Amino acid sequence: MSRIIVITSGKGGVGKTTITANLGSAIARLGYKIALVDADFGLRNLDLLLGLEQRVVYTAIDVLEGQCPIEKALVKDKRQPNLVLLPAAQNRTKDAINPDQMKQLIEQLDKQFDYILIDSPAGIEMGFRNAIIPAKEAIIVTTPEMAAVRDADRVVGLLESEEIKKINLIVNRVRPEMIQLNQMISVEDIVDLLVIPLIGIVPDDERIIVSTNRGEPLVLEEPPSVPAMAFNNIARRLDGKEIPYLDLMAVHDNLVTRIRRRFFGN
């Protein structure tokens, strides 16, 4: 049986799809078979972030309409043989699929993979309901902004009402220098507000934007950058490993020191 995990937030623009692409790739690198499911019907983006947009032939809707078996709709990642994508239909709306149909899709994948990650659309309407209905676990993604944290808190309540008890938190786009200046909510304050276990902290880094635009998950780069290490650590924590959190403030201070030495000497 797969670990079926929905990645959600409530608020749009917090980086759910980026998290899904990189976390899925990191899990595949650990040797697990993983399926990524794009549940954002009408606004498909997960294929772009994985660099698989040219390989999409069939979608989840084609499977449900009997146009093809689910195996034909699964897009295999050439770089990572353990990873596949089930793309959403780009020319349909979110109500093109109902919760029972979403369950059917996931049931067809359940025995084939170790992990299934479902990339939930923004909001708490039908698309969100479809994404969470087959899930056994959830990862809430938020950023250190009050609007994002408030929406995340609302989603935690909705997940608990659907009997999803295992809920973890990723705080994305963290800028330690702003936290130090009290210009950004601290990770500790977010955890206190949401009262769910923290599984990862991802720094705000322009390399994430570059990798997203290239369709190359950051975790595939060598040597790994700090955000890539953060994604890899989240995957290992999901796997039950005790992994210490990166000291992002120390990383930031070391970077500033290196820049100063380069341009101004000792």
Side-chain angles (χ1 to χ4, degrees), residues 63-80:
V63 176
L64 291 171
E65 292 180 346
Q67 302 297 318
C68 69
I70 198 164
E71 287 75 19
K72 276 198 172 184
L74 296 176
V75 183
K76 295 180 180 178
D77 191 324
K78 288 184 177 178
R79 299 159 299 188
Q80 301 181 97

Side-chain angles (χ1 to χ4, degrees), residues 62-200:
D62 294 316
V63 176
L64 291 171
E65 292 180 346
Q67 302 297 318
C68 69
I70 198 164
E71 287 75 19
K72 276 198 172 184
L74 296 176
V75 183
K76 295 180 180 178
D77 191 324
K78 288 184 177 178
R79 299 159 299 188
Q80 301 181 97
N82 289 340
L83 185 148
V84 300
L85 166 68
L86 179 61
Q90 203 169 10
N91 59 347
R92 300 293 187 93
T93 60
K94 290 178 175 60
D95 58 4
I97 181 172
N98 62 48
D100 286 339
Q101 290 173 317
M102 192 70 181
K103 276 185 178 180
Q104 291 173 26
L105 288 171
I106 300 304
E107 283 170 1
Q108 292 182 62
L109 299 173
D110 196 5
K111 294 179 181 178
Q112 301 181 49
F113 297 92
D114 301 305
Y115 284 84
I116 298 172
L117 295 190
I118 303 171
D119 184 21
S120 171
I124 55 172
E125 306 304 325
M126 180 57 77
F128 167 78
R129 301 284 176 181
N130 287 335
I132 69 171
I133 198 70
K136 300 171 185 173
E137 306 175 37
I139 292 175
I140 299 279
V141 179
T142 190
T143 54
E145 308 163 60
M146 278 311 302
V149 175
R150 183 174 67 177
D151 286 358
D153 187 45
R154 169 78 169 130
V155 167
V156 170
L158 293 171
L159 292 170
E160 289 175 343
S161 71
E162 293 294 332
E163 302 299 319
I164 299 176
K165 300 301 183 185
K166 191 169 187 179
I167 306 172
N168 287 304
L169 171 68
I170 293 176
V171 183
N172 194 26
R173 297 180 186 156
V174 173
R175 299 183 66 176
E177 71 279 10
M178 290 185 69
I179 292 174
Q180 194 173 50
L181 294 171
N182 290 321
Q183 296 173 341
M184 181 175 274
I185 311 168
S186 71
V187 174
E188 292 80 3
D189 286 343
I190 294 171
V191 173
D192 287 344
L193 286 166
L194 297 181
V195 201
I196 55 174
L198 180 71
I199 200 169

